[in-house]
Amino acid sequence: MHCLKAGEGPELILLHGLLGTASTWELTIPRLAQQSTVYAVDALGIGESERVLGIDARLEAQADRVVAFMDASAIRSADFLATSHGGAVALTLAAKYPARVKRLVLHAPANPFSRLGDPLINFYLSGLGTWFAHRIAGLPESMQALALGRMYGDPSNVQDGSLGKYIGSLRIPGTVEYVLSMLSTWFADMAGLETALRRVRPFPTLLVWGDRDRAVAMKSAEDLQRYFDRVEFEVLPGAGHLPYEECPEALARIVNSFLVRMRGQAETGPQLVRSQVRLA
């Protein structure tokens, strides 16, 4: 598993979205690294990580592999910043491995209460959709850019080089099969996640959404908030589904502010004081 590492301080693990990679965080990492040791991880099967034929792509298996990465990197527990599908992985990890998670920052996490993406997922699960998926990387660049622009709040703000990060990963043999494997268990994974949400209540959590997100419904945040004892909600005006590219400064500022406050509260909480009392 490939990762980008930067900064010093408490560990912060970044989990990308369905077609994202560690490199999609590059504009945000330097700002996050001012407060944390940042690990931006490529899931096994995409980005610069290895492709493994027939790999289990279910949410629980992906959470298991993130924990294996933590073990290999000597990370006992960490804060998480996760986006879209990565948010669902982070929630699954927190439910299954609570001792490995300190705090959650979830940007538009895939969740059972948003159905915006269902028609597109069903398309890619069809024979025609599977055929099309294997040809996306070879489409004219103008068509690829149109699809990426739909993920932005303002398509005219697509960053130079952004398209290449996604398409470059898709062109590596095995990537499309990995993505389709994730989609094949999507609805079962969302049903399982709804059950797992009952076990994430103790984690201090920040939910972040762009108010022009066309991929994961912002309204689903209302349902998600009910599952946490301590939860905050921030809206990024004008942003779509890729704020780490659209407005990296604003996203990093919100994330850093939340983590600094929460870490400070943890440090200044009730302390165990040892004392001796002489009895008469």
Side-chain angles (χ1 to χ4, degrees):
M1 289 177 72
H2 166 262
C3 85
L4 301 174
K5 181 181 178 183
E8 295 181 357
E11 291 89 350
L12 173 63
I13 295 176
L14 313 188
L15 302 181
H16 59 71
L18 189 74
L19 296 178
T21 66
S23 66
T24 57
W25 295 102
E26 283 180 344
L27 296 176
T28 312
I29 288 174
R31 297 169 174 88
L32 296 173
Q34 295 172 10
Q35 302 292 341
S36 308
T37 301
V38 177
Y39 297 82
V41 184
D42 274 328
L44 204 58
I46 205 163
E48 295 186 45
S49 287
E50 287 189 77
R51 275 42 172 186
V52 181
L53 183 64
I55 192 171
D56 187 346
R58 292 174 299 171
L59 285 178
E60 187 168 339
Q62 298 216 32
D64 291 344
R65 288 193 285 273
V66 175
V67 170
F69 167 83
M70 295 174 71
D71 290 341
S73 304
I75 302 172
R76 184 174 181 179
S77 62
D79 297 318
F80 282 81
L81 167 57
T83 182
S84 195
H85 179 266
V89 174
L91 285 165
T92 303
L93 194 158
K96 186 174 181 180
Y97 301 99
R100 310 306 294 268
V101 178
K102 293 179 179 178
R103 288 157 284 265
L104 295 168
V105 180
L106 305 173
H107 162 253
N111 68 81
F113 313 114
S114 173
R115 312 307 294 269
L116 276 181
D118 288 7
L120 193 59
I121 293 168
N122 282 319
F123 168 71
Y124 281 113
L125 293 178
S126 69
L128 177 60
T130 299
W131 175 87
F132 181 72
H134 283 91
R135 285 153 181 81
I136 290 175
L139 290 174
E141 187 173 318
S142 59
M143 294 183 66
Q144 297 170 347
L146 186 66
L148 178 61
R150 186 178 177 275
M151 295 291 100
Y152 276 65
D154 182 353
S156 67
N157 288 334
V158 173
Q159 298 291 318
D160 291 340
S162 176
L163 182 61
K165 295 175 183 177
Y166 297 96
I167 299 302
S169 178
L170 284 174
R171 285 180 176 149
I172 299 174
T175 307
V176 173
E177 288 79 7
Y178 167 72
V179 173
L180 290 173
S181 181
M182 283 191 283
L183 296 182
S184 72
T185 62
W186 185 274
F187 298 108
D189 276 340
M190 289 299 109
L193 180 57
E194 186 168 4
T195 300
L197 284 172
R198 300 169 189 167
R199 303 194 295 276
V200 301
R201 186 166 294 281
F203 297 101
T205 299
L206 171 64
L207 298 176
V208 183
W209 244 273
D211 65 0
R212 296 185 183 179
D213 195 316
R214 300 180 183 91
V216 183
M218 188 166 68
K219 187 172 176 56
S220 64
E222 298 176 7
D223 296 290
L224 282 175
Q225 289 181 74
R226 295 186 287 105
Y227 288 90
F228 299 97
D229 287 333
R230 288 193 291 170
V231 63
E232 299 180 17
F233 181 55
E234 290 278 357
V235 175
L236 294 166
H241 194 59
L242 308 175
Y244 37 86
E245 297 181 12
E246 300 174 74
C247 50
E249 300 93 344
L251 177 63
R253 183 171 60 252
I254 289 170
V255 173
N256 283 341
S257 175
F258 173 78
L259 291 177
V260 168
R261 284 189 292 107
M262 292 299 108
R263 290 166 180 169
Q265 290 179 16
E267 291 173 1
T268 59
Q271 301 292 314
L272 177 65
V273 178
R274 298 185 182 276
S275 65
Q276 292 181 334
V277 178
R278 185 180 297 277
L279 300 179

